[in-house]
Amino acid sequence: LDFSDGGPDEEQSEQQRKAFGIVLELCKTLSKPLMLLSLNADKETVAEMEKAGLPSNHPIHLAAFQGDSDFLALQLLPKYPKMCVGFNGRVTFAKATDMRRALFEVPPARLMLQTGPHHFIPQGLEADGHTKCHAGMLPHLAILVSELLTKSDAASAEEINTLMEAARANVRNIYGI
């Protein structure tokens, strides 16, 4: 659900909820993971998941979490034990304080690294002339996320590798690939 920029009007909100309900039914029926993007609609998203009867142990990839870190830590992660949370290059932006706060709420066993919209290039790469975000930037993102998590300017190779291995294992657990 996307309730950003002031949110949708009532008709658009109902269309989004209806489409999301169909996706939830398909995920349940086909035993496929739910790839979830919720923008300014945390509580509404969970309400729709509950309404659809999505089992709490269903595999969920919460992509590019941008919501309330307290809601994530206190409600989403405990309620959905197979949920993994994806972070993209936006987490490296100094102004992404909510996303950075959320990063500390997600244990490594539930953290994923991901690309994002073309303009969420991890910090430092845009100076090298990169204009679009792509999967080749994930190792750089792993370095920056490791530095954020260790609160240092230079995470060790072991810390970076541990993060990358955990993120890869979480992709396997969610998607089976």
Side-chain angles (χ1 to χ4, degrees):
L1 300 177
D2 183 354
F3 291 179
S4 58
D5 297 325
D9 63 32
E10 198 169 315
E11 182 181 339
Q12 292 170 328
S13 175
E14 187 54 37
Q15 288 173 342
Q16 285 188 34
R17 290 174 198 271
K18 188 175 182 178
F20 186 43
I22 292 168
V23 169
L24 291 168
E25 277 305 312
L26 286 170
C27 286
K28 286 186 340 186
T29 303
L30 301 173
S31 297
K32 296 294 181 186
L34 173 62
M35 198 278 216
L36 180 61
L37 182 61
S38 176
L39 302 172
N40 296 336
D42 296 338
K43 292 176 182 151
E44 296 86 353
T45 298
V46 171
E48 291 299 316
M49 291 163 62
E50 289 173 348
K51 180 178 164 186
L54 187 72
S56 63
N57 67 344
H58 195 88
I60 302 169
H61 170 192
L62 180 56
F65 182 75
Q66 298 180 42
D68 178 351
S69 59
D70 288 338
F71 185 76
L72 174 68
L74 300 174
Q75 294 189 35
L76 284 179
L77 290 175
K79 184 175 186 85
Y80 298 100
K82 287 191 175 180
M83 175 183 280
C84 287
V85 182
F87 292 90
N88 61 29
R90 183 173 176 265
V91 76
T92 68
F93 300 174
K95 292 183 179 181
T97 54
D98 289 343
M99 191 178 234
R100 285 182 174 199
R101 210 171 13 259
L103 180 65
F104 287 93
E105 301 295 342
V106 181
R110 298 180 69 185
L111 188 143
M112 295 170 73
L113 300 174
Q114 63 184 73
T115 58
H118 71 285
H119 55 281
F120 285 164
I121 298 169
Q123 203 166 34
L125 292 179
E126 70 286 344
D128 293 337
H130 294 279
T131 58
K132 298 213 184 308
C133 186
H134 57 77
M137 295 176 177
L138 288 174
H140 185 72
L141 178 60
I143 292 168
L144 297 174
V145 168
S146 293
E147 290 172 354
L148 287 170
L149 289 171
T150 60
K151 298 180 182 177
S152 72
D153 291 333
S156 71
E158 182 181 342
E159 291 163 333
I160 297 164
N161 286 336
T162 299
L163 175 66
M164 290 181 74
E165 287 170 7
R168 178 66 183 118
N170 294 335
V171 170
R172 275 191 211 101
N173 290 337
I174 294 290
Y175 293 106
I177 55 172

